[in-house]
Amino acid sequence: MSLPLPNSSSSGLQLQVDGEVLIQKAFARSTEEGMTLLFQRYYQSLCSHAVRFVSSQAVAEDIVSDLFYEFQVKELHTSITVSYRAFFYTSIRNRCYDYVRRELHRSTSLEAEGGLPVQPDLHPDTITQFEELYQDVEKAIHGLPLRRRQIYLMHRFEGKSYREIAGELMISPKTVEIQMSKAIQQVKEVLRDKWLLLVMAAAYWL
């Protein structure tokens, strides 16, 4: 009697669940042990995630380090209601987005104070457009087929290579490459009609 082959999607999900359980148990023993596991598991991938938004490794590392510090000082592990992974990736994305917004506003203010003409791409109306574009990109990503979305997020937002993704999902690197190409094309197609002039800016998040 042959045993059923493991489903790669469920296997990847099980690895995430097992990791979450290990971290929970570590926090049950001590905050320091829990933080150590969290740092080892997520720090590098969070930095890779953050640098895609802020375009600076140093700034990305500062943002991630600040979040870990706040998480420990405020003992947030005792109150979060989602997975650690979901909490950290959502928090980092929001902090990076806030950083970009602050930088845009700061640049606009400095130009105004110096008597220089404000660049059109820093005008508040454009900032609002980018906020809306960002939201539409998120919706487009969530509209991807499940496996394609999983591959896209692992590569673009977790910073994993095609080979790493292939190993975790037990598929070939070529399959990962094909799915990534289809995902990017699908997202751009969704955005094209509404964002005829700004669709190229979507590459910032794609």
Side-chain angles (χ1 to χ4, degrees):
M1 179 178 176
S2 60
L3 295 175
L5 293 174
N7 180 278
S8 58
S9 178
S10 60
S11 297
L13 179 60
Q14 187 61 46
L15 287 174
Q16 292 181 11
V17 172
D18 291 345
E20 293 284 315
V21 171
L22 286 175
I23 295 172
Q24 289 173 0
K25 290 181 177 180
F27 271 117
R29 290 189 290 270
S30 74
T31 299
E32 182 178 354
E33 186 175 346
M35 289 302 303
T36 298
L37 276 184
L38 271 179
F39 189 88
Q40 292 173 346
R41 187 173 183 84
Y42 292 120
Y43 179 79
Q44 289 298 336
S45 60
L46 285 170
C47 287
S48 298
H49 181 50
V51 78
R52 297 178 186 275
F53 292 88
V54 300
S55 302
S56 167
Q57 184 68 33
V59 172
E61 291 175 357
D62 284 344
I63 292 174
V64 174
S65 296
D66 285 345
L67 178 58
F68 271 97
Y69 176 77
E70 181 178 317
F71 191 90
Q72 180 172 4
V73 170
K74 294 185 177 181
E75 297 186 338
L76 296 181
H77 68 279
T78 63
S79 60
I80 62 172
T81 57
V82 295
S83 68
Y84 297 111
R85 180 180 182 279
F87 172 85
F88 274 93
Y89 276 97
T90 299
S91 297
I92 285 299
R93 184 188 63 193
N94 291 338
R95 288 179 182 225
C96 288
Y97 189 46
D98 288 341
Y99 170 84
V100 172
R101 289 183 63 189
R102 288 195 303 270
E103 287 299 296
L104 288 173
H105 284 295
R106 186 173 70 85
S107 298
T108 303
S109 299
L110 288 175
E111 286 190 351
E113 290 174 3
L116 299 175
V118 176
Q119 296 298 319
D121 60 341
L122 296 180
H123 190 279
D125 288 344
T126 305
I127 295 173
T128 301
Q129 284 182 318
F130 271 92
E131 290 177 354
E132 187 176 353
L133 173 61
Y134 180 86
Q135 293 171 359
D136 286 346
V137 169
E138 280 197 319
K139 291 178 183 177
I141 292 172
H142 285 293
L144 296 172
L146 180 60
R147 170 51 62 87
R148 190 172 299 168
R149 181 171 73 242
Q150 183 182 19
I151 291 172
Y152 181 92
L153 292 174
M154 289 175 74
H155 180 62
R156 294 301 195 188
F157 293 94
E158 296 181 26
K160 294 182 178 179
S161 68
Y162 287 177
R163 186 171 297 279
E164 288 173 327
I165 296 171
E168 287 190 29
L169 301 183
M170 292 185 287
I171 56 179
S172 71
K174 186 62 176 178
T175 298
V176 175
E177 181 182 352
I178 292 172
Q179 289 300 314
M180 274 298 302
S181 177
K182 289 182 177 180
I184 292 172
Q185 184 60 35
Q186 185 173 337
V187 171
K188 287 183 177 179
E189 286 293 333
V190 171
L191 298 173
R192 182 171 296 163
D193 291 340
K194 181 175 181 181
W195 299 101
L196 186 60
L197 297 179
L198 290 178
V199 68
M200 294 306 297
Y204 186 74
W205 295 288
L206 303 180

